[in-house]
Amino acid sequence: MKMAPFRPRIHILAAGLDEVLQAELDFLRVYRPLIVTDESAALASLIDECLEGVSAASAETAKEKLAVYRLNETAGMGDARAISRRLFTEGRDGLVVFGGRNSIDTCKYAAREFARVRPGSRHRQADERMVPVIVVPDSPADGAGLRAAVRMVDADGHHQSFQDDSFLPSVLICDTRAYAALDVTSAICAEFDVVVHCIETLARSRLSPPAKGMAIDGLRRAWRILKRRASGVQTFASGETVFSAAVNAALAEDGGLGAIHALALAIEEDRRDARPHGYYHAAVFKPVMSFNAPAMIRVIPEIEEAMECSGGVPGIVGMVSDVAGRLGLPVELEALGLDPAARARIACAVSGDVANTTNPRRVRKADYKVILCASK
């Protein structure tokens, strides 16, 4: 039993982003960083504050002279290689990334590949120092950028998952203003994503007591927020609470997530719509939980206690479906309108996800086909 290595320094703040960023760059001795952001980053003010902090700590004191790389929605391994080349050719000594999973994963992958294979070299540099990566996420979704995993698009347009401790960032700075700026649907989906991360982390067979405690705490925090939203209580959901829950889930995660996250992600990628990450979690929750139920007996009481429900897997599924339905999320696969061809594509795509080996039960392509057709 072990926890993921606790290497990153983590900040959750409501102001002073530029000062914290400047202090971290000084601490890491990064003077010529490359700043990476994506076109979907909605908070221009936070990006500008990031630039203020970088310019104050770097050798390039004028904001307009800072090196910035902007990603589009279809960023993939080609962009990671381009970032790696810029690190090498421009003598950049660190990465600062602001945005969502797309930009964060691209930077993490670029940093690892830069350390292992220098541009123009065919030989791996096993002892090369990792390039420091400072992550400023625009949402708590997907572990707020703290997960030791990335999802990349290759040259053929296929999505690939990678799991490696080297993908942990050096620093994570969560600004609650980014959460406050999310629209209601994006905030709900981010909170659902945290719930799923915590449940799938608890379902792992090898989990240390401290990791279990963090996952339970994250689940309790995120689920209470969703229940209050579903009951119509007009209470302000604290960005600090949601980011804390997301960080807890990411720190507790030991080696990977499970089939709920993998299958929902494959559906997102197949449909290519603008739905936020987490939108399809409730739709796949019931069939995947039914598949995993025989291997989750030991953790069901802890999940029930954190979610304040009873009835085993059926009771947990029923409560999740009820809350998700009241919040306007799809709760059945058939509601997604997936035709047989789409189901076959999704089963084929998700069968290569690394989560298949860390799911409570080993899940294969044939199992995904059964899960996807269970509601028909």
Side-chain angles (χ1 to χ4, degrees):
M1 297 187 299
K2 65 183 183 70
M3 288 175 58
F6 188 86
R7 291 182 294 178
R9 285 180 301 284
I10 299 168
H11 305 267
I12 301 177
L13 46 86
L17 173 61
D18 54 342
E19 296 176 0
V20 173
L21 187 54
Q22 179 183 349
E24 286 295 349
L25 288 169
D26 287 339
F27 179 83
L28 294 168
R29 297 183 180 180
V30 173
Y31 305 110
R32 288 177 53 78
L34 177 62
I35 303 155
V36 180
T37 184
D38 55 47
E39 300 298 336
S40 63
L43 288 182
S45 60
L46 282 187
I47 297 177
D48 192 60
E49 196 169 333
C50 277
L51 296 179
E52 290 281 358
V54 172
S55 63
S58 70
E60 297 150 322
T61 56
K63 284 197 300 181
E64 60 273 9
K65 293 185 179 180
L66 293 173
V68 179
Y69 188 97
R70 296 190 182 276
L71 295 166
N72 58 37
E73 293 182 359
T74 58
M77 290 185 180
D79 290 279
R81 295 190 186 100
I83 291 170
S84 184
R85 281 195 297 271
R86 288 194 63 173
L87 288 171
F88 181 74
T89 59
E90 299 176 12
R92 300 291 163 185
D93 53 4
L95 285 166
V96 177
V97 51
F98 178 90
R101 188 191 56 188
N102 188 29
S103 55
I104 293 171
D105 284 1
T106 302
C107 281
K108 288 198 227 177
Y109 189 85
R112 190 188 73 163
E113 291 310 295
F114 175 74
R116 294 188 174 186
V117 182
R118 291 301 181 91
S121 171
R122 295 180 180 271
H123 304 288
R124 287 188 175 272
Q125 312 293 322
D127 299 326
E128 189 67 36
R129 184 178 74 93
M130 285 290 293
V131 175
V133 179
I134 299 178
V135 170
V136 185
D138 64 3
S139 167
D142 209 43
L146 188 58
R147 296 185 61 222
V150 299
R151 184 84 166 166
M152 299 295 296
V153 182
D154 63 20
D156 298 321
H158 300 138
H159 291 83
Q160 297 186 31
S161 296
F162 302 92
Q163 186 86 27
D164 195 318
D165 286 343
S166 64
F167 291 132
L168 285 169
S170 306
V171 179
L172 176 70
I173 307 175
C174 302
D175 195 306
T176 58
R177 289 172 293 178
Y179 172 79
L182 294 174
D183 60 77
V184 174
T185 300
S186 295
I188 290 171
C189 291
E191 292 152 12
F192 244 107
D193 188 57
V194 174
V195 167
V196 167
H197 280 223
C198 292
I199 289 175
E200 295 202 309
T201 296
L202 286 168
R204 294 294 307 280
S205 59
R206 298 180 298 108
L207 198 64
S208 68
K212 181 181 291 186
M214 286 191 292
I216 290 173
D217 180 69
L219 176 58
R220 184 180 292 114
R221 287 170 181 254
W223 186 246
R224 282 178 178 172
I225 291 173
L226 284 170
K227 284 182 68 176
R228 287 199 297 268
R229 285 186 184 274
S231 63
V233 177
Q234 298 297 319
T235 56
F236 176 71
S238 167
E240 181 179 353
T241 299
V242 182
F243 270 118
S244 295
V247 167
N248 276 351
L251 289 175
E253 185 184 324
D254 176 20
L257 294 173
I260 299 173
H261 187 267
L263 184 54
L265 192 56
I267 293 173
E268 290 176 22
E269 292 164 352
D270 185 79
R271 294 174 72 90
R272 298 181 182 179
D273 54 24
R275 301 293 188 185
H277 180 60
Y279 185 80
Y280 299 113
H281 284 3
V284 303
F285 191 84
K286 179 179 179 179
V288 174
M289 284 291 285
S290 298
F291 176 83
N292 286 336
M296 294 182 63
I297 296 173
R298 63 178 181 82
V299 300
I300 291 302
E302 292 164 325
I303 295 174
E304 288 178 326
E305 182 180 359
M307 298 179 69
E308 301 175 339
C309 67
S310 60
V313 170
I316 295 169
V317 169
M319 176 169 279
V320 168
S321 297
D322 177 61
V323 169
R326 283 190 279 164
L327 292 173
L329 301 181
V331 296
E332 298 286 347
L333 279 169
E334 59 186 10
L336 307 184
L338 300 175
D339 58 34
R343 293 171 192 255
R345 285 195 310 271
I346 292 167
C348 183
V350 74
S351 63
D353 197 298
V354 294
N356 301 327
T357 59
T358 54
N359 193 61
R361 288 180 64 189
R362 186 64 182 264
V363 54
R364 297 174 173 81
K365 182 177 178 179
D367 298 316
Y368 277 118
K369 287 183 176 179
V370 173
I371 290 171
L372 285 164
C373 295
S375 62
K376 292 185 67 178

